[in-house]
Amino acid sequence: MSTDLNSPFRTKTVEQSIRDTEEPEHALRKSLSAWDLTVFGVGVIIGTGIFVLTGIAARNNAGPATALAFVAAGIVCALAALCYAEFASTVPVAGSAYTFSYASIGELPAWIIGWDLVLEFALGTAVVAVGWSGYIRHLMQTNLGWEMPAALSGPDAGGTFDLFAFLLVLVLTAILVVGTKLSARITAIVVAIKVTVVLLVIIAGLFFIKADNYSPFIPPAEPQPAGGGLHAPLVQVLFGYAPTNFGVMGIFTAASLVFFAFIGFDVVATAAEETKNPQRDMPRGILGSLLICTVLYVAVTLVVTGMQNYAQMSPSAPLAEAFKSVNQPFFAGAISLGASVGLITVCMILLLGQTRVFFAMSRDGLLPRVFSVTHPKYRTPYRATILLGVVIAIVAGFTSLEKLAELVNIGTLFAFVVVALGVIILRRTRPDLHRSFRTPLVPFIPILSMAASLWLMLNLPVDTWIRFGIWMAVGIVVYFAYGRRNSRLAKVGQDAKY
C-alpha cells in the first residue's frame, strides 16, 4: 500500500471511494435489496453449467461421485465468497474486485484486475448469448419445424451472422439502461422459471432412480490419455502431474471442470453501490445465492446419475437425455425450454457486471470519464452500457468463441486470488475500518482461497495461459499510455475534493 502519488501502487482510500459515489453526475441509484441480490446470484450461476457440465463430468471424470465434485468446487467458491462478502460490505462501491484492489493493493494491480474483468464479463456475455441462440434454434426446429436460414445461424452452425445472439444482447442492453430495478424484476421472473425446472428435475427424477446406477459410486481410477503441448494442463507441463479420471483424484479433476458452473456469484459484488443497505445485504446476497445453487447442483447430480448410468450420459444435454432414457419426453422438452430461458438472465447479469466495472474504472480516470456519466432519469451508466452492449452484440453475432471462452474461467480465478490477497492487506493496513461482515480466520481462509484458486488455474491448458498473458500485456501498455497519466488519484494534490 503506497502513499506516493507517483507510484503505480498508489492506493485510493475507502473513504475516497465512497465519496466518489456521492457525486450527482456519477452516482448510481440505490434500489436493490438482499432478495434482489440473491436472485441476481442464482440467476447468473444456474445456467449452462447445471444443464451441461453434469453429464461431461460424470461420463468422463467422476461417475456418480460428480456430486462430491460439486461439493468440492462449492467449497472453493465459498472460500472466495467469504472474502468478497467482507469487501463488498466494507467498500460498497461499483467495480467488485477492481475497487477492492484499488483500496488495498494499489492502482496498477487494480487496473490489471479491472482489465481482466472487462474481458471475463464481455466474453462471458457473448458466449452465453451464442449458446442461447443455439438452444432457441434447436427448439424452433424440433417443435415448430422451422429452421433458421444458415447465413443467420452464426459461425458455430456454419453460418455467417448469429442474428438471435446479436438481438438478445441489444435487448438486454436497453433493459439495463432503463434501470437495475427493472432488470431485477425481469431476472426474478426468469429465475423463478429456471428454478422451477430444476426442482422439476429433482422431484420427477426421484421416481426413476435405479440403485444399480450408483454402483460403484466412485468408479476405479483410470489414467487420462497422454497429452502434451499447448493443450495440456499447465500443472502437467510444470510438475509432470498426470491427472486421472475416476477414483478419488477423479473427483478433484471433475471439480476443476464443474467449478465453472459456479461462475457468477462474484458478479453480485459489482452491484454493491446500487444496494440499499450493502453492509447487511451484500453478504446475504453473495453467500445466499452460492448456498442455494450448491444444494441444487448436488441434488440434480445425484438424481440424474441415479436415473441413467454415468457411462451412457449425454455430454451435451444430460438432464434432458436422462428423462428420454426413461421414456419421459415431456420432462425432456421442459428442461430444454428452461435451459433456453435461464440463459437470458445469465447473459443479462454478466452484462451488468461488465458495465459496472467499466463505469468504476472510468470514474477513476483510468478510462475516459465520459463513460462514467449516469443517465439523468434512470441513474444508470448509460453511455458505458450502450457502448459495451453494441460491441458485445457484434462480437456475439460474428465470432465463434469456443477457445476464447476459456479466458472467462482463468479470469474469474485470477480475480478470486486478488480479492483474497486484498482482504489480508486491508486488515493489516486499515484495522480501524468498520466491517459489518468479517471473513473468519484471517489470514487462514484467504490463503486457503488463494491456494485453491491457483490449483484450479494450474489445471487449465497452456494455450489459455498464453492468451491470458497477451491480454494482460496489452492492458499494461494501455495503463501506462493513458490510465496512469489521467488517473484522478494522480492529481490528488491539486484536487480540492480530495
Side-chain angles (χ1 to χ4, degrees), residues 44 120-126 128 176 263-264 267 345-355 392 408:
V44 73
E120 173 195 340
F121 293 148
L123 291 183
T125 304
V128 172
L176 289 175
I263 287 177
V267 181
T345 57
V346 179
C347 195
M348 177 188 290
I349 300 167
L350 285 172
L351 183 57
L352 171 72
Q354 155 82 316
T355 58
I392 294 171
V408 178

PDB file of all heavy atoms in Angstrom, residues 44 120-126 128 176 263-264 267 345-355 392 408:
ATOM      1  N   VAL A  44     -27.491 -15.831 -12.376  1.00  0.00           N
ATOM      2  CA  VAL A  44     -26.287 -15.926 -13.206  1.00  0.00           C
ATOM      3  C   VAL A  44     -25.544 -17.241 -12.990  1.00  0.00           C
ATOM      4  O   VAL A  44     -24.867 -17.734 -13.890  1.00  0.00           O
ATOM      5  CB  VAL A  44     -25.343 -14.723 -12.937  1.00  0.00           C
ATOM      6  CG1 VAL A  44     -24.650 -14.845 -11.603  1.00  0.00           C
ATOM      7  CG2 VAL A  44     -24.327 -14.577 -14.057  1.00  0.00           C
ATOM      8  N   GLU A 120     -13.381 -10.884 -18.984  1.00  0.00           N
ATOM      9  CA  GLU A 120     -14.166 -12.002 -18.459  1.00  0.00           C
ATOM     10  C   GLU A 120     -15.653 -11.811 -18.721  1.00  0.00           C
ATOM     11  O   GLU A 120     -16.334 -12.690 -19.266  1.00  0.00           O
ATOM     12  CB  GLU A 120     -13.922 -12.139 -16.956  1.00  0.00           C
ATOM     13  CG  GLU A 120     -14.815 -13.169 -16.285  1.00  0.00           C
ATOM     14  CD  GLU A 120     -14.821 -13.036 -14.775  1.00  0.00           C
ATOM     15  OE1 GLU A 120     -13.883 -12.435 -14.212  1.00  0.00           O
ATOM     16  OE2 GLU A 120     -15.775 -13.539 -14.154  1.00  0.00           O
ATOM     17  N   PHE A 121     -16.179 -10.656 -18.340  1.00  0.00           N
ATOM     18  CA  PHE A 121     -17.616 -10.426 -18.465  1.00  0.00           C
ATOM     19  C   PHE A 121     -18.038 -10.242 -19.926  1.00  0.00           C
ATOM     20  O   PHE A 121     -19.119 -10.673 -20.323  1.00  0.00           O
ATOM     21  CB  PHE A 121     -18.037  -9.214 -17.644  1.00  0.00           C
ATOM     22  CG  PHE A 121     -17.911  -9.414 -16.153  1.00  0.00           C
ATOM     23  CD1 PHE A 121     -17.607  -8.356 -15.309  1.00  0.00           C
ATOM     24  CD2 PHE A 121     -18.101 -10.657 -15.591  1.00  0.00           C
ATOM     25  CE1 PHE A 121     -17.502  -8.532 -13.945  1.00  0.00           C
ATOM     26  CE2 PHE A 121     -17.988 -10.851 -14.217  1.00  0.00           C
ATOM     27  CZ  PHE A 121     -17.695  -9.788 -13.394  1.00  0.00           C
ATOM     28  N   ALA A 122     -17.187  -9.583 -20.723  1.00  0.00           N
ATOM     29  CA  ALA A 122     -17.543  -9.357 -22.131  1.00  0.00           C
ATOM     30  C   ALA A 122     -17.634 -10.680 -22.880  1.00  0.00           C
ATOM     31  O   ALA A 122     -18.627 -10.957 -23.571  1.00  0.00           O
ATOM     32  CB  ALA A 122     -16.512  -8.442 -22.790  1.00  0.00           C
ATOM     33  N   LEU A 123     -16.594 -11.511 -22.766  1.00  0.00           N
ATOM     34  CA  LEU A 123     -16.616 -12.796 -23.453  1.00  0.00           C
ATOM     35  C   LEU A 123     -17.693 -13.705 -22.882  1.00  0.00           C
ATOM     36  O   LEU A 123     -18.347 -14.446 -23.610  1.00  0.00           O
ATOM     37  CB  LEU A 123     -15.249 -13.471 -23.359  1.00  0.00           C
ATOM     38  CG  LEU A 123     -14.111 -12.810 -24.144  1.00  0.00           C
ATOM     39  CD1 LEU A 123     -12.838 -13.624 -24.009  1.00  0.00           C
ATOM     40  CD2 LEU A 123     -14.478 -12.648 -25.603  1.00  0.00           C
ATOM     41  N   GLY A 124     -17.878 -13.644 -21.551  1.00  0.00           N
ATOM     42  CA  GLY A 124     -18.918 -14.459 -20.931  1.00  0.00           C
ATOM     43  C   GLY A 124     -20.288 -14.124 -21.487  1.00  0.00           C
ATOM     44  O   GLY A 124     -21.089 -15.009 -21.803  1.00  0.00           O
ATOM     45  N   THR A 125     -20.577 -12.819 -21.619  1.00  0.00           N
ATOM     46  CA  THR A 125     -21.861 -12.390 -22.166  1.00  0.00           C
ATOM     47  C   THR A 125     -22.039 -12.882 -23.592  1.00  0.00           C
ATOM     48  O   THR A 125     -23.104 -13.411 -23.966  1.00  0.00           O
ATOM     49  CB  THR A 125     -21.971 -10.852 -22.146  1.00  0.00           C
ATOM     50  OG1 THR A 125     -21.768 -10.371 -20.812  1.00  0.00           O
ATOM     51  CG2 THR A 125     -23.332 -10.396 -22.634  1.00  0.00           C
ATOM     52  N   ALA A 126     -21.002 -12.714 -24.420  1.00  0.00           N
ATOM     53  CA  ALA A 126     -21.091 -13.131 -25.819  1.00  0.00           C
ATOM     54  C   ALA A 126     -21.250 -14.638 -25.947  1.00  0.00           C
ATOM     55  O   ALA A 126     -22.070 -15.127 -26.745  1.00  0.00           O
ATOM     56  CB  ALA A 126     -19.847 -12.658 -26.573  1.00  0.00           C
ATOM     57  N   VAL A 128     -22.490 -16.790 -23.762  1.00  0.00           N
ATOM     58  CA  VAL A 128     -23.819 -17.215 -23.309  1.00  0.00           C
ATOM     59  C   VAL A 128     -24.881 -16.850 -24.337  1.00  0.00           C
ATOM     60  O   VAL A 128     -25.819 -17.615 -24.592  1.00  0.00           O
ATOM     61  CB  VAL A 128     -24.148 -16.585 -21.940  1.00  0.00           C
ATOM     62  CG1 VAL A 128     -25.591 -16.865 -21.552  1.00  0.00           C
ATOM     63  CG2 VAL A 128     -23.215 -17.136 -20.867  1.00  0.00           C
ATOM     64  N   LEU A 176     -31.022  -2.747 -19.300  1.00  0.00           N
ATOM     65  CA  LEU A 176     -30.076  -2.274 -18.286  1.00  0.00           C
ATOM     66  C   LEU A 176     -29.950  -0.752 -18.287  1.00  0.00           C
ATOM     67  O   LEU A 176     -29.661  -0.153 -17.257  1.00  0.00           O
ATOM     68  CB  LEU A 176     -28.702  -2.918 -18.507  1.00  0.00           C
ATOM     69  CG  LEU A 176     -28.626  -4.417 -18.181  1.00  0.00           C
ATOM     70  CD1 LEU A 176     -27.254  -4.968 -18.544  1.00  0.00           C
ATOM     71  CD2 LEU A 176     -28.913  -4.663 -16.701  1.00  0.00           C
ATOM     72  N   ILE A 263     -19.420 -19.990 -11.696  1.00  0.00           N
ATOM     73  CA  ILE A 263     -19.003 -18.647 -12.067  1.00  0.00           C
ATOM     74  C   ILE A 263     -20.209 -17.720 -12.098  1.00  0.00           C
ATOM     75  O   ILE A 263     -21.224 -18.028 -12.721  1.00  0.00           O
ATOM     76  CB  ILE A 263     -18.292 -18.660 -13.439  1.00  0.00           C
ATOM     77  CG1 ILE A 263     -16.903 -19.286 -13.305  1.00  0.00           C
ATOM     78  CG2 ILE A 263     -18.183 -17.253 -14.017  1.00  0.00           C
ATOM     79  CD1 ILE A 263     -16.157 -19.402 -14.600  1.00  0.00           C
ATOM     80  N   GLY A 264     -20.101 -16.612 -11.443  1.00  0.00           N
ATOM     81  CA  GLY A 264     -21.195 -15.649 -11.458  1.00  0.00           C
ATOM     82  C   GLY A 264     -21.525 -15.048 -10.114  1.00  0.00           C
ATOM     83  O   GLY A 264     -21.988 -13.905 -10.046  1.00  0.00           O
ATOM     84  N   VAL A 267     -20.313 -11.662  -9.533  1.00  0.00           N
ATOM     85  CA  VAL A 267     -20.946 -10.553 -10.232  1.00  0.00           C
ATOM     86  C   VAL A 267     -21.851  -9.769  -9.288  1.00  0.00           C
ATOM     87  O   VAL A 267     -22.063  -8.571  -9.461  1.00  0.00           O
ATOM     88  CB  VAL A 267     -21.756 -11.066 -11.450  1.00  0.00           C
ATOM     89  CG1 VAL A 267     -22.410  -9.919 -12.197  1.00  0.00           C
ATOM     90  CG2 VAL A 267     -20.853 -11.847 -12.384  1.00  0.00           C
ATOM     91  N   THR A 345     -31.036 -14.712 -18.236  1.00  0.00           N
ATOM     92  CA  THR A 345     -30.596 -13.995 -17.034  1.00  0.00           C
ATOM     93  C   THR A 345     -29.088 -14.048 -16.871  1.00  0.00           C
ATOM     94  O   THR A 345     -28.473 -13.096 -16.392  1.00  0.00           O
ATOM     95  CB  THR A 345     -31.253 -14.592 -15.772  1.00  0.00           C
ATOM     96  OG1 THR A 345     -30.950 -15.991 -15.681  1.00  0.00           O
ATOM     97  CG2 THR A 345     -32.753 -14.410 -15.806  1.00  0.00           C
ATOM     98  N   VAL A 346     -28.483 -15.172 -17.274  1.00  0.00           N
ATOM     99  CA  VAL A 346     -27.023 -15.258 -17.192  1.00  0.00           C
ATOM    100  C   VAL A 346     -26.393 -14.158 -18.044  1.00  0.00           C
ATOM    101  O   VAL A 346     -25.484 -13.442 -17.608  1.00  0.00           O
ATOM    102  CB  VAL A 346     -26.534 -16.643 -17.656  1.00  0.00           C
ATOM    103  CG1 VAL A 346     -25.012 -16.719 -17.598  1.00  0.00           C
ATOM    104  CG2 VAL A 346     -27.143 -17.746 -16.806  1.00  0.00           C
ATOM    105  N   CYS A 347     -26.898 -14.016 -19.250  1.00  0.00           N
ATOM    106  CA  CYS A 347     -26.385 -13.014 -20.179  1.00  0.00           C
ATOM    107  C   CYS A 347     -26.590 -11.602 -19.624  1.00  0.00           C
ATOM    108  O   CYS A 347     -25.692 -10.759 -19.652  1.00  0.00           O
ATOM    109  CB  CYS A 347     -27.086 -13.171 -21.524  1.00  0.00           C
ATOM    110  SG  CYS A 347     -26.300 -12.309 -22.889  1.00  0.00           S
ATOM    111  N   MET A 348     -27.787 -11.339 -19.077  1.00  0.00           N
ATOM    112  CA  MET A 348     -28.098 -10.008 -18.562  1.00  0.00           C
ATOM    113  C   MET A 348     -27.195  -9.625 -17.392  1.00  0.00           C
ATOM    114  O   MET A 348     -26.661  -8.511 -17.333  1.00  0.00           O
ATOM    115  CB  MET A 348     -29.558  -9.938 -18.109  1.00  0.00           C
ATOM    116  CG  MET A 348     -29.942  -8.601 -17.487  1.00  0.00           C
ATOM    117  SD  MET A 348     -31.587  -8.610 -16.750  1.00  0.00           S
ATOM    118  CE  MET A 348     -32.606  -8.700 -18.212  1.00  0.00           C
ATOM    119  N   ILE A 349     -26.979 -10.527 -16.473  1.00  0.00           N
ATOM    120  CA  ILE A 349     -26.229 -10.184 -15.264  1.00  0.00           C
ATOM    121  C   ILE A 349     -24.734 -10.087 -15.563  1.00  0.00           C
ATOM    122  O   ILE A 349     -24.022  -9.278 -14.958  1.00  0.00           O
ATOM    123  CB  ILE A 349     -26.532 -11.197 -14.143  1.00  0.00           C
ATOM    124  CG1 ILE A 349     -28.032 -11.172 -13.832  1.00  0.00           C
ATOM    125  CG2 ILE A 349     -25.754 -10.868 -12.884  1.00  0.00           C
ATOM    126  CD1 ILE A 349     -28.521 -12.309 -12.977  1.00  0.00           C
ATOM    127  N   LEU A 350     -24.228 -10.889 -16.490  1.00  0.00           N
ATOM    128  CA  LEU A 350     -22.833 -10.725 -16.903  1.00  0.00           C
ATOM    129  C   LEU A 350     -22.628  -9.359 -17.557  1.00  0.00           C
ATOM    130  O   LEU A 350     -21.616  -8.685 -17.321  1.00  0.00           O
ATOM    131  CB  LEU A 350     -22.432 -11.836 -17.872  1.00  0.00           C
ATOM    132  CG  LEU A 350     -22.189 -13.220 -17.267  1.00  0.00           C
ATOM    133  CD1 LEU A 350     -21.986 -14.250 -18.365  1.00  0.00           C
ATOM    134  CD2 LEU A 350     -20.997 -13.200 -16.322  1.00  0.00           C
ATOM    135  N   LEU A 351     -23.606  -8.941 -18.365  1.00  0.00           N
ATOM    136  CA  LEU A 351     -23.524  -7.618 -18.984  1.00  0.00           C
ATOM    137  C   LEU A 351     -23.604  -6.518 -17.934  1.00  0.00           C
ATOM    138  O   LEU A 351     -22.894  -5.511 -18.026  1.00  0.00           O
ATOM    139  CB  LEU A 351     -24.646  -7.452 -20.011  1.00  0.00           C
ATOM    140  CG  LEU A 351     -24.667  -6.144 -20.818  1.00  0.00           C
ATOM    141  CD1 LEU A 351     -23.351  -5.948 -21.570  1.00  0.00           C
ATOM    142  CD2 LEU A 351     -25.840  -6.144 -21.800  1.00  0.00           C
ATOM    143  N   LEU A 352     -24.424  -6.709 -16.911  1.00  0.00           N
ATOM    144  CA  LEU A 352     -24.497  -5.756 -15.794  1.00  0.00           C
ATOM    145  C   LEU A 352     -23.145  -5.625 -15.103  1.00  0.00           C
ATOM    146  O   LEU A 352     -22.655  -4.518 -14.857  1.00  0.00           O
ATOM    147  CB  LEU A 352     -25.558  -6.214 -14.793  1.00  0.00           C
ATOM    148  CG  LEU A 352     -25.603  -5.450 -13.461  1.00  0.00           C
ATOM    149  CD1 LEU A 352     -26.160  -4.048 -13.666  1.00  0.00           C
ATOM    150  CD2 LEU A 352     -26.435  -6.200 -12.425  1.00  0.00           C
ATOM    151  N   GLY A 353     -22.522  -6.767 -14.800  1.00  0.00           N
ATOM    152  CA  GLY A 353     -21.219  -6.726 -14.147  1.00  0.00           C
ATOM    153  C   GLY A 353     -20.164  -6.052 -15.000  1.00  0.00           C
ATOM    154  O   GLY A 353     -19.352  -5.269 -14.497  1.00  0.00           O
ATOM    155  N   GLN A 354     -20.188  -6.323 -16.306  1.00  0.00           N
ATOM    156  CA  GLN A 354     -19.239  -5.705 -17.234  1.00  0.00           C
ATOM    157  C   GLN A 354     -19.341  -4.188 -17.215  1.00  0.00           C
ATOM    158  O   GLN A 354     -18.346  -3.475 -17.105  1.00  0.00           O
ATOM    159  CB  GLN A 354     -19.512  -6.257 -18.638  1.00  0.00           C
ATOM    160  CG  GLN A 354     -19.088  -5.386 -19.784  1.00  0.00           C
ATOM    161  CD  GLN A 354     -17.614  -5.525 -20.094  1.00  0.00           C
ATOM    162  OE1 GLN A 354     -16.800  -5.537 -19.191  1.00  0.00           O
ATOM    163  NE2 GLN A 354     -17.268  -5.616 -21.346  1.00  0.00           N
ATOM    164  N   THR A 355     -20.566  -3.667 -17.298  1.00  0.00           N
ATOM    165  CA  THR A 355     -20.742  -2.207 -17.363  1.00  0.00           C
ATOM    166  C   THR A 355     -20.355  -1.531 -16.053  1.00  0.00           C
ATOM    167  O   THR A 355     -19.849  -0.409 -16.063  1.00  0.00           O
ATOM    168  CB  THR A 355     -22.194  -1.856 -17.712  1.00  0.00           C
ATOM    169  OG1 THR A 355     -23.081  -2.423 -16.743  1.00  0.00           O
ATOM    170  CG2 THR A 355     -22.558  -2.400 -19.088  1.00  0.00           C
ATOM    171  N   ILE A 392     -20.399  -5.974 -27.725  1.00  0.00           N
ATOM    172  CA  ILE A 392     -20.580  -7.391 -27.404  1.00  0.00           C
ATOM    173  C   ILE A 392     -21.589  -8.034 -28.345  1.00  0.00           C
ATOM    174  O   ILE A 392     -21.436  -9.194 -28.742  1.00  0.00           O
ATOM    175  CB  ILE A 392     -21.018  -7.551 -25.931  1.00  0.00           C
ATOM    176  CG1 ILE A 392     -19.886  -7.093 -25.006  1.00  0.00           C
ATOM    177  CG2 ILE A 392     -21.370  -8.997 -25.629  1.00  0.00           C
ATOM    178  CD1 ILE A 392     -20.286  -7.013 -23.547  1.00  0.00           C
ATOM    179  N   VAL A 408     -12.641 -16.760 -19.762  1.00  0.00           N
ATOM    180  CA  VAL A 408     -13.594 -16.404 -18.718  1.00  0.00           C
ATOM    181  C   VAL A 408     -13.235 -17.135 -17.429  1.00  0.00           C
ATOM    182  O   VAL A 408     -13.273 -16.569 -16.330  1.00  0.00           O
ATOM    183  CB  VAL A 408     -15.030 -16.754 -19.146  1.00  0.00           C
ATOM    184  CG1 VAL A 408     -16.024 -16.432 -18.043  1.00  0.00           C
ATOM    185  CG2 VAL A 408     -15.396 -16.015 -20.422  1.00  0.00           C
TER     186      VAL A 408
END
